[in-house]
Every structure is written in C-alpha cells, then in structure tokens.
Amino acid sequence: MKRERPSKLSGIQVGISGEYLVAAELSGRGYVASLTLRNTRGIDILASNKDATKSVGIQVKTSQRATADWVMTKKAEQDLAANLFYVFVSLPPGAPASFHIVPRKAVGQYVRETHRQWLETPGKRGQAHRDSDVRVFSDRADAYKDRWDLLGLE
C-alpha cells in the first residue's frame, strides 16, 4: 500500500524526513550511513564506504518547494574541510524527493558570490539592499542533482 505524504509538514518534520531520506538513499547505494546526534555541529550524517577507508560528513538541508532553492544562513559561507558536503533535498508535496549533492566549499563560494551580487544590485525602488544573515543556495540547472559520485566514497 502506497502512503502519501501530508500536503504540508512542519519545519521539524521536513528536516527529519530529509535526513532519513538521505541516510536511506546512501544505504541503498551500499554505503554506511549514520545519523548523528543533534549535538554534532554542522554534520547530520556520517557516511563511509563498506570497508570504512573513505568517509564524509554531510549536512542535510530540506525544502518542501518544487524549485531547487534552499534558504541558509551566513555560516554557509565558511569553507571547511574538503570531506564535508551538503545534500539538499527537495520534498514537494505529492512528488518524489530529489537530491542535490554539493561540496561544502562550492556552497560557500556560491552563497558568498550571489549575496555580494544581491547587495550590489539596487532594490525595486532603487534603494540599496540591507545586509542580513540570510543566504540562498540554488541548483535550478540541476548541476548537482543525483551527484552521489561527488562524495568520493567509491
């Protein structure tokens, strides 16, 4: 029996659903995936290959929008270790989930550059934009969609 998702999940349910979906996808691809406790800063899932010779940390961001856009904070601009990744999950009601796998460094560069461009572009009435901690990552061209290979766990 096929179960339908409710039309709208709460923010907490969306986040938890995304983490479990990513862990399930990794497990289904033959990797070891462990959800971390909430006190693991910046890492939601630790993933490795079967023999644990390669591992990565993954932060999951989930949205219920049909577009490949995710709201983030200024912290996303930080470039950290090379083995850290974001997996962005799009979970629109009534549609299958999609996954966008992006190295953390690429996310940092993207949000820094797009935020700088936004600040330099006048608003609708010609006014300057006010700086904030809000950032947006977008993959509307699907450059990172289903790019599980980028994790380097083979």
Side-chain angles (χ1 to χ4, degrees):
M1 182 170 126
K2 185 179 176 186
R3 279 199 181 155
E4 294 293 324
R5 280 194 314 270
S7 61
K8 191 81 167 159
L9 297 171
S10 74
I12 291 173
Q13 290 172 318
V14 169
I16 291 170
S17 295
E19 290 175 17
Y20 279 101
L21 285 166
V22 171
E25 186 70 24
L26 287 164
S27 295
R29 292 172 177 274
Y31 304 122
V32 177
S34 299
L35 292 165
T36 64
L37 300 174
R38 290 282 172 211
N39 63 354
T40 308
R41 191 178 185 104
I43 299 175
D44 298 316
I45 298 173
L46 291 170
S48 70
N49 58 0
K50 288 180 211 172
D51 58 6
T53 57
K54 298 177 183 176
S55 63
V56 296
I58 296 171
Q59 187 167 19
V60 179
K61 295 291 183 190
T62 309
S63 169
Q64 292 187 86
R65 286 187 226 111
T67 59
D69 301 307
W70 293 268
V71 177
M72 307 182 77
T73 66
K74 185 177 182 175
K75 288 188 286 186
E77 292 183 359
Q78 298 171 353
D79 291 335
L80 300 172
N83 67 336
L84 295 178
F85 291 82
Y86 281 97
V87 175
F88 295 98
V89 181
S90 179
L91 194 56
S98 66
F99 304 93
H100 300 254
I101 300 83
V102 190
R104 189 172 183 112
K105 185 175 183 176
V107 172
Q109 290 172 337
Y110 180 91
V111 297
R112 263 193 312 276
E113 179 62 24
T114 57
H115 186 70
R116 183 189 60 74
Q117 289 172 355
W118 178 78
L119 286 172
E120 292 173 356
T121 304
K124 291 179 181 177
R125 290 179 235 122
Q127 80 282 8
H129 287 122
R130 290 185 188 176
D131 199 2
S132 75
D133 285 346
V134 176
R135 305 292 187 269
V136 175
F137 179 79
S138 180
D139 186 27
R140 291 187 180 186
D142 289 339
Y144 294 100
K145 187 173 182 183
D146 294 323
R147 291 296 313 272
W148 298 101
D149 59 298
L150 293 176
L151 297 176
L153 296 176
E154 286 79 38

